Amino acid sequence: MTGGYPVAVRAAGSGDTVLLLHGIGGAAESFRPQLDGGLAGTYRLLAWDAPGYGDSPDPPPGTPPETVMDRLADAALAVLDGTPAHVVGVSWGGVVATRMALRRPDLLRSLVLADSTRGSGRTPEGRAGMARRVEELAELGAGEFAARRAGRLVAPDAPAPVRARVEAIMAGVRPAGYALAAASMAATDHSADLARIGVPTLVVVGEHDVVTGVEEARALAAAIPGAGFALVPGAGHAANQEQPAEFDRIVGGFLAGVRTGVSR
């Protein structure tokens, strides 16, 4: 039980702990390239299935939307069991990671925000978009929902197997988990809080990301004191899955810099 939500966690590798938080259409499986790849050779990777995703049970209904992001952040913090760790959040996972850094900076050795955002609550369009996506999932079912959305998550020239893998993972989303994630996003705008983040931070984004986008990533980096910024060439929104070697090189270099004190 973590932060009131029981969650499943996949582990790989050894060394300093890196917590991996997936996006709203993902799961721990979204980090398979990292769990099986270079980062696991240097770090102890923990990839969670957020509440209502993957092997984690559905969250109980009735949580007030304005408290969901705090509860998710606390659940992710509880996975660390009091041990400071690097945290890598992708898309929605990056918003959860941002809230973690705001609530318990003492437990974050560093923060990586990949293809992420300040929160969908920043604009009326963003809030409405979250509600609309929950409705579409309910109407279409996860398989058709994923088939319609997966193409936007990858670069235009992404290989078919990569797109198929991203689509297959999204096809596994469940209504309860997705609705909780969407509610947390719709209720969140971190714009006024980013200046309080004091941990070493890197913002990463795929150069072809049309979901959260390069402009939003640059806004994140500009608002967080001392944050670095990096583009992942040839990648869309699912950068860690599309270009895992380059993603791992960028993130691994940043984490190594944090360890030696030269990351900022």
Side-chain angles (χ1 to χ4, degrees):
M1 181 75 72
T2 56
Y5 293 127
V7 296
V9 179
R10 300 190 190 185
S14 60
D16 294 341
T17 298
V18 179
L19 178 64
L20 305 172
L21 306 178
H22 61 79
I24 194 170
E29 184 63 21
S30 303
F31 291 107
R32 176 56 55 195
Q34 285 68 50
L35 294 167
D36 290 346
L39 285 181
T42 308
Y43 298 96
R44 174 179 177 249
L45 304 183
L46 301 177
W48 84 339
D49 282 318
Y53 284 82
D55 293 330
S56 295
D58 287 350
T63 304
E66 63 272 13
T67 69
V68 171
M69 189 60 77
D70 282 345
R71 291 192 63 184
L72 288 166
D74 289 347
L77 287 163
V79 171
L80 303 181
D81 196 25
T83 301
H86 306 282
V87 178
V88 178
V90 170
S91 194
W92 165 62
V95 184
V96 177
T98 298
R99 187 62 62 91
M100 292 171 69
L102 292 167
R103 287 176 74 76
R104 289 296 304 274
D106 57 304
L107 287 180
L108 269 69
R109 300 185 65 181
S110 72
L111 177 66
V112 177
L113 305 177
D115 298 278
S116 195
T117 171
R118 289 166 285 182
S120 298
R122 193 171 61 85
T123 65
E125 295 79 11
R127 292 190 293 272
M130 284 292 110
R132 187 165 56 249
R133 283 161 64 175
V134 172
E135 293 170 356
E136 289 174 359
L137 174 60
E139 292 170 1
L140 299 173
E144 181 61 23
F145 181 76
R148 294 189 183 190
R149 291 194 62 83
R152 298 187 71 241
L153 301 182
V154 297
D157 59 350
V162 172
R163 173 174 171 162
R165 185 176 183 278
V166 170
E167 181 178 331
I169 293 172
M170 180 177 278
V173 300
R174 305 197 301 274
Y178 197 92
L180 188 79
S184 74
M185 283 289 283
T188 298
D189 176 10
H190 283 141
S191 299
D193 301 310
L194 296 175
R196 296 195 289 112
I197 293 179
V199 301
T201 301
L202 175 67
V203 177
V204 185
V205 63
E207 67 168 332
H208 302 299
D209 187 340
V210 296
V211 177
T212 52
V214 175
E215 181 179 348
E216 177 66 8
R218 290 192 185 279
L220 271 174
I224 298 172
F229 177 84
L231 280 173
V232 181
H237 185 65
N240 75 293
Q241 299 182 71
E242 295 176 77
Q243 300 292 341
E246 182 63 9
F247 182 89
D248 290 0
R249 185 194 69 79
I250 291 170
V251 172
F254 169 73
L255 298 180
V258 172
R259 294 171 68 185
T260 59
V262 297
S263 64
R264 304 181 75 172

